[in-house]
């Protein structure tokens, strides 16, 4: 499961929207339908339309109507049609879909204290999840025990510590930082290829920075958490499959599927975990939910505790980073507690430009930082030239330094996105001023390799030039704020280096007929793993090793 896979370059909701049976998943889990609705609204507010990979194909369904709306007014016309213009039969599948969408939204819009109305969002296949079901517990699903602010602060501190450890291990190319502890976290990091696997021969593990590991450290906070969550999901499937085989189940099926885990993630995202703790289900009670919470605790996102002698869990606010890439997580509560308990009162105040980078057209980089991890990342693709005043590090990107980075698996898009994510506030303000003035010569989208493609923010997202808020309107995940000439040169160097490509963790299928290629592709599409096809030409296909071993290899035995 390499992190370079395109499946990890998009948020959970886009993975759901490209799944073959997506409408059925949303029908079983209202929280998942709410997630898709929020995605559509966010795209419309950003001046874009949601992408629907099934639009105009035989797989087009009623969810395509939701993804295909062009405006918020059109969306609400579907949700609440006027009686005189409503010509559809209420018994049709389309009407039932929009009726379910209305019920889901009304449950989400219910007051927070109205647990009975919001109980619909906790259901998966008609059964409420993460609820206390003892004889003295409330009958309404979705209710939890009040959460103490200290527990939330501890959960947040735990998740940040785990993420820091994962980055340290990825940059070191080993799990030496774990010092023999946390074997579960080591397994997660190896499953995500963030560190090399331990040899089965008993030899000491090698220390090597993997392409997935360096990519993990260069992407946004949201993508880093999604990589860890996705690895946790894969670990759930591996453990449940192994347990089923150990119990004599010849099919190896435990009823736990990736689609079910996606539904449970959606339920977790709608629970009021900022104010309540919820039940940690036992294995016999809910196998999938139990394993999911246990595996999320291995990456620091779930903080188990006892409340009233009941096993509960606190969900770190960082969890929403993995699910909603543009979410505003409730971090203010824990931050205020930390600030109030600070001895000096100003120890948490730091400069705006700390840990940021200025990128110039002469390929020089100026990093205002003392962060060893950030400097380690810069050393992967740039050469250090000078250190000024101890915290200003001057780098230069050269053809040789970038070629060395390419050999490590670093791409031009990753470098440009990283420099945009770490852009100095002055660069963000200049970008905002160019957008405000309608300058179309600004840098291109992070996903575009062509220098002729330019990004233009929607009017509602443009900031007022020169204001402090101008930097917050730039979405560095999808927008490049580095100089255009720098982007062009990086892509040119990449084209030169990519004349021959070497890629790890893939399997080559040779001597395949056209019918066999179509059959394998259709099988992977139905399994939701079409992104595993790294390359295909007449006569052969290249498939990700993990997906081949899990799905294709059993068919060949």
């Amino acid at each position: 499961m390499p992190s370079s896979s395109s499946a990890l370059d998009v948020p959970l909701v886009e993975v759901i929207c490209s799944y073959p049976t997506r409408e059925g998943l949303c029908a079983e889990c209202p929280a998942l339908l709410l997630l898709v609705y929020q995605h559509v609204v966010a795209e419309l507010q950003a001046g874009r339309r949601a992408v629907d990979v099934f639009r105009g194909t035989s797989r087009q369904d009623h969810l395509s109507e939701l993804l295909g709306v062009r405006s918020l007014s059109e969306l609400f016309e579907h949700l609440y049609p006027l009686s005189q213009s409503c010509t559809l039969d209420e018994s049709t599948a389309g009407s039932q879909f929009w009726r379910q969408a209305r019920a889901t939204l009304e449950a989400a819009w219910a007051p927070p204290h109205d647990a009975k109305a919001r109980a619909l969002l906790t259901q998966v296949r008609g059964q409420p999840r993460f609820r206390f079901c003892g004889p003295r517990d409330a009958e309404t699903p979705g209710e939890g025990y009040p959460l103490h602010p200290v527990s939330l602060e501890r959960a947040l501190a735990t998740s940040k510590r785990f993420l820091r450890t994962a980055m340290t291990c990825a940059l070191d190319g080993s799990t030496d930082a774990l010092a023999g502890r946390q074997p579960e976290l080591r397994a997660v990091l190896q499953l995500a290829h963030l560190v090399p696997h331990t040899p089965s021969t008993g030899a000491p593990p090698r220390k090597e920075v993997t392409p997935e590991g360096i990519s993990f450290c260069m992407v946004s906070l949201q993508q880093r958490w999604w990589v860890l969550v996705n690895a946790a999901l894969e670990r759930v499937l591996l453990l449940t499959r192994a347990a089923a085989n150990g119990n004599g189940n010849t099919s190896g099926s435990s009823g736990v599927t990736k689609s079910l885990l996606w539904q449970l993630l959606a339920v977790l995202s709608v629970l009021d975990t900022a104010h309540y703790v919820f039940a940690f289900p036992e294995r016999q009670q809910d196998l999938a939910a139990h394993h999911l919470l246990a595996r999320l605790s291995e990456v620091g996102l779930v903080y188990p505790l006892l409340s009233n002698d009941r096993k509960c869990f606190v969900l770190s606010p960082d969890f929403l980073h993995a699910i909603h890439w543009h979410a505003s997580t409730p971090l203010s509560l824990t931050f205020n507690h930390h600030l109030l308990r600070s001895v000096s009162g100003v120890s948490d105040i730091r400069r705006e430009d700390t840990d940021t980078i200025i990128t110039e057209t002469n390929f020089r980089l100026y990093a205002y930082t003392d962060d060893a991890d950030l400097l380690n990342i810069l050393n992967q693709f740039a050469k250090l030239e000078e250190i000024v005043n101890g915290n200003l590090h001057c780098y230069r990107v050269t053809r040789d330094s970038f070629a060395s980075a390419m050999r490590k698996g670093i791409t031009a898009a990753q470098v440009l996105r990283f420099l945009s994510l770490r852009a100095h506030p002055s660069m963000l303000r200049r970008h905002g001023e160019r957008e405000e003035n309608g300058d179309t010569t600004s840098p291109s989208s992070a996903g575009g390799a062509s220098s002729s493609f330019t990004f233009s923010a929607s009017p509602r997202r443009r900031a007022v030039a020169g204001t402090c808020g101008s930097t917050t309107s730039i979405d560095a995940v999808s927008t490049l704020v580095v100089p255009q000439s720098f982007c062009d040169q990086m892509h040119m160097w990449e084209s030169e280096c990519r004349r021959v490509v070497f890629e790890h963790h893939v399997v080559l299928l040779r001597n395949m007929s056209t019918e066999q290629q179509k059959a394998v592709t259709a099988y992977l599409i139905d399994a939701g793993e079409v992104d595993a096809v790294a390359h295909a030409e007449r006569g052969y296909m290249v498939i990700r090793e993990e997906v081949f071993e899990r799905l294709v290899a059993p068919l060949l035995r």
Side-chain angles (χ1 to χ4, degrees):
M1 188 198 62
S3 61
S4 60
S5 173
S6 58
L8 298 180
D9 293 334
V10 295
L12 170 65
V13 64
E14 294 188 20
V15 176
I16 299 298
C17 291
S18 61
Y19 195 68
T21 58
R22 59 187 187 179
E23 186 175 356
L25 295 183
C26 292
E28 296 173 347
C29 179
L32 203 59
L33 181 57
L34 176 63
L35 194 66
V36 176
Y37 167 83
Q38 292 172 337
H39 169 66
V40 172
V41 172
E43 290 295 288
L44 292 176
Q45 290 179 336
R48 302 184 296 264
R49 288 180 59 187
V51 177
D52 181 12
V53 296
F54 296 151
R55 182 180 293 122
T57 69
S58 60
R59 293 182 179 271
Q60 183 169 314
D61 51 19
H62 296 100
L63 203 65
S64 297
E65 299 179 21
L66 174 59
L67 296 172
V69 295
R70 295 178 174 83
S71 64
L72 292 177
S73 59
E74 180 183 348
L75 175 59
F76 278 91
E77 286 178 3
H78 281 287
L79 289 169
Y80 299 99
L82 298 177
S83 57
Q84 60 269 24
S85 62
C86 185
T87 58
L88 292 176
D89 185 359
E90 287 295 324
S91 62
T92 62
S95 297
Q96 293 176 0
F97 170 79
W98 288 105
R99 185 163 58 249
Q100 181 196 9
R102 284 196 300 272
T104 299
L105 293 177
E106 289 167 359
W109 294 336
H113 61 270
D114 192 353
K116 185 175 182 179
R118 296 180 61 87
L120 176 67
L121 300 178
T122 68
Q123 295 182 6
V124 177
R125 301 174 184 175
Q127 297 296 324
R129 304 300 179 108
F130 309 109
R131 61 170 296 192
F132 296 101
C133 53
R136 294 181 296 175
D137 294 318
E139 296 181 359
T140 303
E143 291 184 344
Y145 294 154
L147 169 63
H148 195 284
V150 174
S151 297
L152 183 60
E153 182 178 356
R154 289 173 179 170
L156 180 61
T158 300
S159 63
K160 292 191 178 301
R161 185 177 71 252
F162 272 64
L163 182 63
R164 180 78 179 188
T165 302
M167 291 187 62
T168 300
C169 292
L171 289 173
D172 187 54
S174 70
T175 56
D176 293 348
L178 300 180
R181 301 184 300 270
Q182 297 177 279
E184 297 84 3
L185 180 58
R186 179 185 297 106
V188 170
L189 298 180
Q190 292 178 345
L191 187 60
H193 300 296
L194 301 185
V195 296
H197 283 271
T198 303
S200 57
T201 58
R206 68 185 188 278
K207 180 179 290 189
E208 177 186 358
V209 178
T210 65
E212 294 83 3
I214 191 63
S215 174
F216 173 80
C217 299
M218 295 178 67
V219 297
S220 65
L221 175 68
Q222 294 88 337
Q223 285 182 268
R224 289 200 294 269
W225 277 121
W226 176 231
V227 169
L228 293 179
V229 168
N230 202 64
L233 299 186
E234 294 292 340
R235 187 160 155 78
V236 170
L237 297 177
L238 289 175
L239 293 178
T240 54
R241 192 179 300 117
N245 291 332
N247 293 332
N249 188 342
T250 57
S251 65
S253 174
S254 61
V256 179
T257 62
K258 183 174 286 188
S259 58
L260 174 58
L261 297 177
W262 290 338
Q263 293 172 327
L264 294 177
L265 288 178
V267 172
L268 287 175
S269 69
V270 300
L271 293 178
D272 188 6
T273 52
H275 300 94
Y276 298 96
V277 297
F278 293 89
F280 196 121
E282 297 294 337
R283 188 190 304 265
Q284 299 80 5
Q285 178 186 357
D286 192 337
L287 179 64
H290 173 86
H291 268 287
L292 176 62
L293 293 178
R295 304 293 79 79
L296 290 178
S297 68
E298 294 174 356
V299 296
L301 289 176
V302 165
Y303 185 76
L305 53 78
L306 291 176
S307 179
N308 296 332
D309 296 327
R310 305 290 294 275
K311 191 175 182 180
C312 311
F313 71 92
V314 180
L315 197 63
S316 170
D318 281 327
F319 173 78
L320 292 182
H321 283 146
I323 306 303
H324 303 280
W325 283 17
H326 302 286
S328 177
T329 52
L331 303 182
S332 57
L333 179 63
T334 54
F335 174 77
N336 288 337
H337 273 268
H338 182 64
L339 187 61
L340 290 174
R341 296 193 304 173
S342 176
V343 177
S344 62
V346 296
S347 60
D348 293 298
I349 306 300
R350 67 179 198 168
R351 290 173 56 92
E352 182 188 25
D353 59 3
T354 302
D355 297 336
T356 61
I357 303 171
I358 292 179
T359 305
E360 292 191 339
T361 55
N362 59 2
F363 306 104
R364 297 201 73 183
L365 309 176
Y366 299 93
Y368 296 82
T369 183
D370 293 321
D371 188 348
D373 290 342
L374 178 56
L375 296 175
N376 196 348
I377 295 174
L378 286 171
N379 290 330
Q380 303 295 324
F381 61 87
K383 292 183 177 180
L384 178 63
E385 292 187 335
E386 187 180 3
I387 301 178
V388 181
N389 295 331
N391 68 335
L392 175 58
H393 296 74
C394 305
Y395 284 84
R396 185 183 295 274
V397 181
T398 66
R399 181 175 182 174
D400 291 339
S401 66
F402 181 71
S404 176
M406 287 283 295
R407 289 191 289 270
K408 301 173 186 176
I410 301 175
T411 66
Q414 290 173 343
V415 172
L416 297 176
R417 189 180 295 116
F418 170 75
L419 294 177
S420 294
L421 288 168
R422 293 288 187 171
H424 191 274
S426 62
M427 295 180 61
L428 298 179
R429 281 192 286 269
R430 284 198 301 269
H431 180 85
E433 291 171 359
R434 288 195 298 266
E435 293 294 337
E436 182 69 18
N437 297 330
D439 183 2
T440 59
T441 61
S442 57
S444 61
S445 165
S450 173
S451 60
S452 62
F453 180 81
T454 57
F455 179 88
S456 178
S458 60
R460 73 181 67 197
R461 298 188 68 189
R462 290 176 181 169
V464 179
T467 62
C468 295
S470 61
T471 60
T472 61
S473 66
I474 304 300
D475 178 15
V477 175
S478 58
T479 308
L480 298 182
V481 298
V482 296
Q484 184 66 56
S485 59
F486 188 96
C487 297
D488 295 341
Q489 189 62 61
M490 295 293 289
H491 288 304
M492 184 178 298
W493 285 341
E494 183 179 49
S495 299
E496 295 177 357
C497 295
R498 281 197 176 276
R499 292 170 182 168
V500 179
V501 178
F502 296 94
E503 190 167 352
H504 300 280
H505 308 297
V506 294
V507 175
L508 173 64
L509 303 180
R510 297 184 298 177
N511 302 323
M512 299 184 67
S513 65
T514 303
E515 292 73 16
Q516 289 174 327
Q517 286 184 323
K518 291 181 179 179
V520 172
T521 303
Y523 177 66
L524 293 177
I525 290 176
D526 290 336
E529 297 286 0
V530 66
D531 292 319
V533 180
H535 187 74
E537 287 189 16
R538 184 176 181 179
Y540 69 89
M541 296 179 67
V542 180
I543 300 178
R544 304 289 180 190
E545 181 181 23
E546 184 272 332
V547 175
F548 173 82
E549 295 293 340
R550 178 162 52 89
L551 296 177
V552 181
L555 302 178
L556 304 178
R557 294 169 185 165

